[in-house]
Amino acid sequence: MIATDNGRRVALVTGGSRGIGLDIARRLAGEGFAVTVAARKEAGVAAAAGRIEAEAGVPVLGVAADMADEQALGRLAAQHTERFGRLDVLVLAAGLGAEETVGAIRTKAYDLQMGINLRAPVLLVRELLPLLRETAAAHPERGSRVVALSSITGVAAEAGLSVYGATKAALLSFCETLSLEESGNGVNATAVAPGYVDTDMTAHLDGRLERKSMLGVSDVSEMVLGLTRLSARAVVPSIVISRAGSQLWRA
Ligand SMILES: NC(=O)c1ccc[n+]([C@@H]2O[C@H](COP(=O)([O-])OP(=O)(O)OC[C@H]3O[C@@H](n4cnc5c(N)ncnc54)[C@H](OP(=O)(O)O)[C@@H]3O)[C@@H](O)[C@H]2O)c1
């Protein structure tokens, strides 16, 4: 196990190659965190890791891992632990959605959303919990944190997004249970639940919803940075970020 230089804090960000995850990884690196960036595609991981390293000058580890593959999740946890031996912030941003009404749900799309949005975060937290506990014990003032990208659809249902919303609602519950079980050990969890954010994921809404009405990735990453500045005594179960307009509870 290699200790990190300067005792700097360390983050692992899934879905860190694009969109919200990439911005969170960049912002954490800008704050001096060493970062592991994980995503499915090797090229995206390499590009993101190179960019973050060049911008922030912090140690960055890029790991290509398909969140649908339990063994890949184990390898990701092992590679991170081997490289950094510390985990202050675990950001679970890898995710995907399929828009289809209940009567038209495809089993394959259901399995994919459950697998990437719920099963993978749960299994990865299980794998990394010993390291999160160890880090919190060594740094009791800050502790360590899990931040899961939920969605406002997990709080207020959206027609056409039943399965996606169900996975995101489950993440809200999972984060609450994690804090109940582990905050005494210094490990806190927060589900961040934004409305539509301007990323590749919302490209299918072109023509239906103006991009300038969506949240920016920095609206989400600012919240994550804020969480990293709290003491271990502060438990934040969830953060909902709604979009400006006359409806509060819609994506
Ligand atoms: N955009 C929104 O409106 C919005 C709103 C609320 C919540 N969220 C949530 O925020 C998170 C990030 O969303 P985003 O908009 O940033 O999405 P995005 O731009 O589509 O990026 C998705 C990220 O997840 C990774 N990913 C997807 N499938 C994967 C798999 N099987 N294994 C490993 N990595 C995988 C992608 O890597 P590859 O390119 O390698 O596949 C990419 O890095 C998601 O959980 C999403 O549900 C998004």
Side-chain angles (χ1 to χ4, degrees):
M1 198 178 286
I2 302 166
T4 53
D5 50 331
N6 307 325
R8 61 169 88 241
R9 291 204 276 170
V10 181
L12 188 164
V13 183
T14 72
S17 63
R18 292 189 282 124
I20 296 168
L22 174 60
D23 199 61
I24 292 170
R26 292 178 63 207
R27 299 293 298 275
L28 288 171
E31 295 281 309
F33 278 76
V35 183
T36 293
V37 179
R40 184 169 43 117
K41 295 184 196 137
E42 185 88 53
V45 168
R51 178 178 174 183
I52 294 166
E53 208 158 18
E55 279 175 0
V58 298
V60 181
L61 172 68
V63 180
D66 186 343
M67 295 288 127
D69 177 354
E70 184 172 4
Q71 287 187 343
L73 291 169
R75 283 196 297 273
L76 169 61
Q79 281 179 260
H80 174 90
T81 305
E82 163 92 6
R83 172 67 181 83
F84 293 119
R86 174 172 177 170
L87 183 56
D88 299 82
V89 183
L90 170 61
V91 180
L92 303 162
L96 80 173
E99 190 177 7
E100 48 199 9
T101 55
V102 171
I105 289 171
R106 292 163 297 154
T107 309
K108 198 173 172 189
Y110 170 89
D111 287 341
L112 203 55
Q113 289 173 94
M114 294 301 280
I116 309 304
N117 296 357
L118 182 59
R119 181 175 180 266
V122 170
L123 298 186
L124 195 58
V125 168
R126 182 193 68 194
E127 291 302 303
L128 286 166
L129 199 48
L131 187 60
L132 287 161
R133 284 190 192 129
E134 208 178 285
T135 303
H139 308 279
E141 178 54 28
R142 286 261 191 249
S144 59
R145 289 192 182 264
V146 173
V147 181
L149 261 297
S150 173
S151 161
I152 204 165
T153 58
V155 182
E158 192 84 12
L161 294 176
S162 61
V163 175
Y164 178 77
T167 65
K168 297 303 186 179
L171 275 183
L172 282 151
S173 173
F174 180 69
C175 284
E176 289 190 6
T177 311
L178 187 56
S179 290
L180 284 174
E181 291 181 1
E182 293 294 333
S183 57
N185 297 324
V187 184
N188 284 324
T190 303
V192 179
Y196 285 130
V197 182
D198 184 2
T199 67
D200 296 345
M201 185 180 258
T202 45
H204 70 286
L205 294 172
D206 281 351
R208 278 198 275 164
L209 189 65
E210 284 193 55
R211 298 222 147 237
K212 64 175 191 244
S213 74
M214 296 184 190
L215 300 165
V217 288
S218 66
D219 292 317
V220 181
S221 46
E222 283 291 340
M223 288 295 181
V224 178
L225 287 191
L227 289 168
T228 69
R229 294 180 184 130
L230 301 177
S231 79
R233 298 178 296 284
V235 179
V236 184
S238 58
I239 298 172
V240 176
I241 315 173
S242 191
R243 293 186 298 118
S246 60
Q247 289 172 279
L248 205 53
W249 300 107
R250 55 95 171 88

